Amino acid sequence: MNLIEIYQRLVEHFGRQGWWPAETEFEVIVGAILTQASSWKNVEVAIKNLKAENLLSPEALLKANEEKLQRVIRSVGYYNAKARKLKTFIEFLYENYDGDLEKLFDQNIEKLRSELLSIWGIGQETADSIILYAANKPSFVIDAYTARIMSRLGLAREDTSYYDLKKLFELQLPEDLELYKEFHALLVELGKNYCKTKPLCDKCPIRDTCEEWKDSLKKK
Ligand code: SF4
């Protein structure tokens, strides 16, 4: 089964996910930073609090007191560091692009990715999430679920790098924004529901193509 067939199987099983759950591009960026090592449930609480305090805009975040920001996003782990990361991003945006996201996004993917990666607190997964879901440009996102699934399927090694996994998807898939958005969301859904630390393979919609599942049958 190739990646497109796996994608189709996942869509049939889980339905379309419609990611990213946010009202604005800026909210996507804030969510992508806050969700680092935190559950989405806790991020939702922080986003709700930011909205209630009218802090979910570039201008408001630039002016916000950092200690107040820490209190407002307290529901996510590492909230001191994450408040600093939000501030660092917003300072970068004002220093280089007059606080205008459209100006930041108005460059090709490689340049945008390398600029985002130069900002303290933004790693590859966060950068690609911002490019894909906020800038609306096709840059495939890899997360821990995707790495685990690909290794169990036998399509990558456990130690395959983030960048190599990303290129594996991008070279095999058509360069299609909506496909990239949906596929990443569906892999997260598969990881959360079935391909957990202890996998629930009997319910998995792609088990017939999975090396881990085939190996487990041989051991029975
Ligand atoms: S069959 Fe099991 S190990 Fe393979 S992808 Fe599905 S849940 Fe993961």
Side-chain angles (χ1 to χ4, degrees), residues 153-172:
L153 288 175
L155 297 176
R157 296 186 317 272
E158 269 181 39
D159 63 351
T160 300
S161 71
Y162 181 103
Y163 195 74
D164 285 348
L165 273 174
K166 172 184 171 60
K167 285 296 153 197
L168 197 152
F169 279 92
E170 293 181 352
L171 289 172
Q172 288 192 33

Side-chain angles (χ1 to χ4, degrees), residues 148-150 152-153 190 194-196 199-214:
R148 179 158 74 197
I149 292 164
M150 290 298 280
R152 286 176 171 172
L153 288 175
L190 181 69
Y194 304 133
C195 205
K196 305 173 180 213
L200 304 173
C201 301
D202 288 345
K203 295 180 181 173
C204 177
I206 54 171
R207 66 181 179 278
D208 55 330
T209 195
C210 180
E211 293 301 324
E212 177 101 358
W213 184 67
K214 288 175 199 162

Side-chain angles (χ1 to χ4, degrees), residues 24-42:
T24 63
E25 293 165 353
F26 190 65
E27 187 178 326
V28 173
I29 295 170
V30 171
I33 292 172
L34 293 182
T35 200
Q36 295 170 354
S38 291
S39 76
W40 186 250
K41 225 175 170 183
N42 292 336

